[in-house]
Amino acid sequence: MEYLAAIIGATATFLLAVYTIRARQLRPSEVRLQDLGPSRAVRIETDDDGRPMLRRNASSIPALSRMLNARGHAQRWAIDLERAGLTLRPGEYFIMRVMFGALAAAVVTLIGRNPVAFLVSLLVGLVVFMLPAVWLRMRVRSRINKINSQLVEAITLIASAQRAGFAFAQGVDVAAKRVGPPMSVELNRMLLDINLGASTESALTAMNDRIQSDDVDMVVTAILIQRQTGGNLAEVLDNVTETMRDRERIHGEIKTLTSSQRFTGWVLSLWPAVLALGFFAISPSIMSLLWTTGGGLVLLGLWFVLNLMGIFTIQRILDIDI
């Protein structure tokens, strides 16, 4: 009965998280107008240079908002959530992480029902609390990779529009209509900033700050330099496109050369779990000692933590920057 209650609670938490993420999908214009309009959820602050900037509150709960802002988590999480394409506030993101960690700790405690299980549950709860942060970084990286893969096509369309006599904003609009998300979302947000009164340079810089991609930074820098010094923008974009294609070719070659090492890393990481399932199929009574005794729970928790560390370490070693 306790297991069923724990499973139902975990499922309800997951569905609540999915519903919250999908229910608050706003159009870019709505988000921008909320930032510019008067609202209790928005406050005006100044950055290190004394320039005014708008920031949303981390949460509708004042105490939680103050806590996250005091520790500096609110602004960092807000940037990461925006880069990941999520509509969550930092406070909602923090509450979901706490709920997932608490549910995982409760499940381990109910399974073991002894003091050792309680200590292991604290470790498992901490690991589960950190897993959404890992997922968020993976989602940010995946979104950046998608933008980078669409960037060459978008630049080619803008360069073609420049040759046809279109203005820069019109070329960006053509590219936004031809390429799919997430590149089209960022281009439309840049056009929205321009239509709402921002300069082209400011809109480009804001887009670069949102995405934080080396490829996008190279393109934006080239465009800003061209707008200051003059010259043929289409030719500049063609040179940037050629450089990006060369980088993509080198990246593909490196990925091919390290594919066997990546496969080996995943095999070494997943092989213990496969063996555990095989042993459980052969002798369930012996394998059940891992989650019914204190010593077994300790070993299971250590395996889980060390296995995750091994996966991340191997991936970091094989992640070669170009």
Side-chain angles (χ1 to χ4, degrees):
M1 187 64 182
E2 292 85 355
Y3 300 159
L4 180 61
I7 293 174
I8 293 175
T11 304
T13 304
F14 176 76
L15 293 177
L16 176 62
V18 174
Y19 174 78
T20 304
I21 292 174
R22 293 183 177 274
R24 297 177 60 238
Q25 297 289 339
L26 298 178
R27 295 194 303 271
S29 58
E30 295 174 341
V31 175
R32 183 61 175 164
L33 289 175
Q34 285 183 1
D35 289 341
L36 295 175
S39 172
R40 294 181 180 179
V42 177
R43 65 185 188 279
I44 300 178
E45 296 181 357
T46 56
D47 57 12
D48 296 335
D49 299 329
R51 295 174 299 182
M53 57 183 179
L54 293 173
R55 289 184 180 177
R56 291 184 180 179
N57 288 332
S59 173
S60 57
I61 304 174
L64 180 59
S65 181
R66 287 194 299 268
M67 182 189 73
L68 295 178
N69 286 321
R71 296 182 177 273
H73 296 310
Q75 183 65 13
R76 184 173 67 254
W77 287 348
I79 294 174
D80 291 339
L81 290 169
E82 186 175 11
R83 292 178 63 198
L86 300 176
T87 57
L88 287 174
R89 287 185 180 180
E92 297 168 346
Y93 171 67
F94 175 74
I95 291 175
M96 287 183 181
R97 291 179 61 178
V98 172
M99 292 176 64
F100 283 132
L103 279 174
V107 170
V108 175
T109 303
L110 290 174
I111 292 175
R113 296 185 181 182
N114 54 59
V116 178
F118 176 72
L119 296 177
V120 174
S121 70
L122 297 179
L123 178 62
V124 174
L126 179 61
V127 173
V128 175
F129 174 79
M130 296 303 299
L131 285 180
V134 177
W135 171 79
L136 182 62
R137 285 195 293 270
M138 293 174 60
R139 184 180 174 93
V140 169
R141 178 175 297 184
S142 175
R143 189 170 186 267
I144 291 176
N145 290 334
K146 289 180 180 178
I147 290 176
N148 291 337
S149 64
Q150 297 173 317
L151 192 57
V152 173
E153 180 183 0
I155 296 175
T156 303
L157 291 171
I158 295 174
S160 300
Q162 288 284 302
R163 293 192 186 90
F166 287 94
F168 175 74
Q170 293 175 322
V172 173
D173 183 54
V174 171
K177 293 177 179 178
R178 295 292 182 88
V179 300
M183 189 71 239
S184 60
V185 175
E186 295 297 335
L187 293 178
N188 284 322
R189 291 185 65 177
M190 184 184 72
L191 290 174
L192 182 62
D193 287 344
I194 295 175
N195 293 333
L196 290 175
S199 63
T200 303
E201 291 79 4
S202 299
L204 284 168
T205 304
M207 183 183 70
N208 188 26
D209 293 338
R210 284 195 306 268
I211 301 176
Q212 295 184 10
S213 165
D214 293 337
D215 292 347
V216 175
D217 182 69
M218 179 171 58
V219 174
V220 171
T221 302
I223 295 175
L224 293 178
I225 293 175
Q226 186 276 334
R227 293 184 69 87
Q228 292 177 358
T229 61
N232 190 343
L233 180 59
E235 184 177 351
V236 171
L237 294 178
D238 288 339
N239 294 332
V240 172
T241 303
E242 184 178 355
T243 302
M244 292 177 58
R245 287 195 176 114
D246 291 338
R247 289 184 58 186
E248 185 66 24
R249 178 181 55 81
I250 297 174
H251 180 73
E253 292 177 357
I254 293 176
K255 190 174 182 179
T256 301
L257 293 174
T258 58
S259 59
S260 60
Q261 287 77 12
R262 295 177 187 274
F263 180 75
T264 302
W266 282 111
V267 169
L268 293 176
S269 302
L270 299 177
W271 185 243
V274 175
L275 286 179
L277 291 176
F279 291 152
F280 180 77
I282 296 173
S283 180
S285 60
I286 296 178
M287 289 299 297
S288 62
L289 296 176
L290 281 175
W291 55 82
T292 56
T293 61
L297 287 172
V298 171
L299 293 176
L300 197 61
L302 288 175
W303 167 81
F304 183 72
V305 174
L306 293 176
N307 199 49
L308 285 179
M309 291 176 60
I311 293 174
F312 296 146
T313 302
I314 293 174
Q315 296 300 318
R316 291 285 294 179
I317 292 174
L318 297 176
D319 188 11
I320 302 174
D321 293 331
I322 303 176

